[in-house]
Amino acid sequence: MSPINFKNNKDVYNGAVAKANEHTDRRYNSTQTIIYAVLIVVILVFIQIIIDSFRFSSVTYKEYESRIEERSVLLNENKDLLNEIKSNQDKIIDRLEKQTKGSH
């Protein structure tokens, strides 16, 4: 039997460990790259959601503002019509009072 040369075994062990470390580093770097890519995509989606919400809010506010204007115009028209109706009622009441006074 030949004696075991621990020096050679140590070199083999160190070489295997170095290869394992290299493989682990490559896997770690590729995993890290994937994580960064996913993180960037998530950030971009979040920014897009914020931008879209501003656009939606702006459109919604414009619709709301136009509806308020329409309601304001309708309210003013209704007030004018109500005043006209009151005026006409007053005229009718005055005529009826004149007719009833004239017939007595």
Side-chain angles (χ1 to χ4, degrees):
M1 286 191 99
S2 65
I4 299 174
N5 187 353
F6 287 107
K7 186 174 187 180
N8 287 338
N9 286 338
K10 189 174 185 182
D11 290 339
V12 169
Y13 173 76
N14 285 339
V17 169
K19 284 186 179 183
N21 284 342
E22 183 180 315
H23 177 70
T24 304
D25 286 344
R26 275 185 292 173
R27 295 286 306 261
Y28 175 75
N29 287 338
S30 64
T31 305
Q32 191 175 15
T33 303
I34 291 171
I35 290 173
Y36 285 145
V38 169
L39 185 62
I40 288 171
V41 168
V42 167
I43 290 171
L44 290 175
V45 167
F46 183 72
I47 290 170
Q48 185 64 38
I49 288 172
I50 290 173
I51 290 171
D52 286 345
S53 71
F54 287 140
R55 288 181 187 159
F56 178 75
S57 294
S58 177
V59 169
T60 304
Y61 182 75
K62 286 178 184 177
E63 286 180 17
Y64 173 75
E65 190 176 52
S66 69
R67 287 183 182 176
I68 286 181
E69 286 179 27
E70 290 173 3
R71 288 183 180 174
S72 177
V73 167
L74 288 174
L75 181 64
N76 287 335
E77 288 177 3
N78 285 339
K79 284 181 181 180
D80 291 342
L81 288 172
L82 182 64
N83 287 334
E84 186 179 333
I85 290 171
K86 286 180 181 179
S87 172
N88 288 340
Q89 284 179 343
D90 288 340
K91 289 177 184 177
I92 292 171
I93 290 172
D94 288 342
R95 284 185 189 160
L96 288 174
E97 286 177 351
K98 287 180 183 177
Q99 286 178 359
T100 56
K101 286 183 184 177
S103 63
H104 287 286

